[in-house]
Amino acid sequence: MNRVYVCSCFGITDKQVKEHAAAGACTPRQIASATKAGTDCGSCVRTIQGLLGRGACPRRELLEKGDGAAVLAAGSRLAPAVTAAAAAVVTAGPGSGPALAEAA
């Protein structure tokens, strides 16, 4: 199997980024919280953005519908930092960027 490294600083592969995205990490910041990718030299952030694409974010859609409990339930599969970020948004409400920044 051929590994394609997205972040050489922390040894994060495209497969790992895609797995976290499938589990609900929708932004490079959430990927960074889960894997540290993009937090050292930063050269991989654009690649991470490309892997995430502009598709739908299941967690964001649930938040917009007001279903915070479903977001937290889905977040239990993610890394603790990503789950904490989701909890901060649920607590503060959708569109509360500063709460997400503080949690991440």
Side-chain angles (χ1 to χ4, degrees):
M1 184 169 135
N2 189 13
R3 290 185 183 166
V4 177
Y5 286 95
V6 172
C7 176
S8 58
C9 296
F10 294 103
I12 305 301
T13 64
D14 62 335
K15 181 180 176 187
Q16 290 171 299
V17 171
K18 290 175 184 177
E19 287 171 353
H20 284 287
C26 302
T27 66
R29 177 179 286 162
Q30 291 171 335
I31 296 294
S33 294
T35 66
K36 293 189 179 182
T39 62
D40 195 23
C41 77
S43 65
C44 61
V45 174
R46 296 257 183 205
T47 304
I48 293 169
Q49 288 173 329
L51 288 171
L52 295 175
R54 296 179 186 249
C57 176
R59 292 174 58 228
R60 188 177 304 128
E61 290 172 1
L62 289 171
L63 283 172
E64 289 172 357
K65 290 179 183 176
D67 196 356
V71 172
L72 291 176
S76 65
R77 298 186 322 253
L78 300 175
V82 176
T83 304
V89 172
V90 169
T91 302
S96 56
L100 180 59
E102 292 172 10

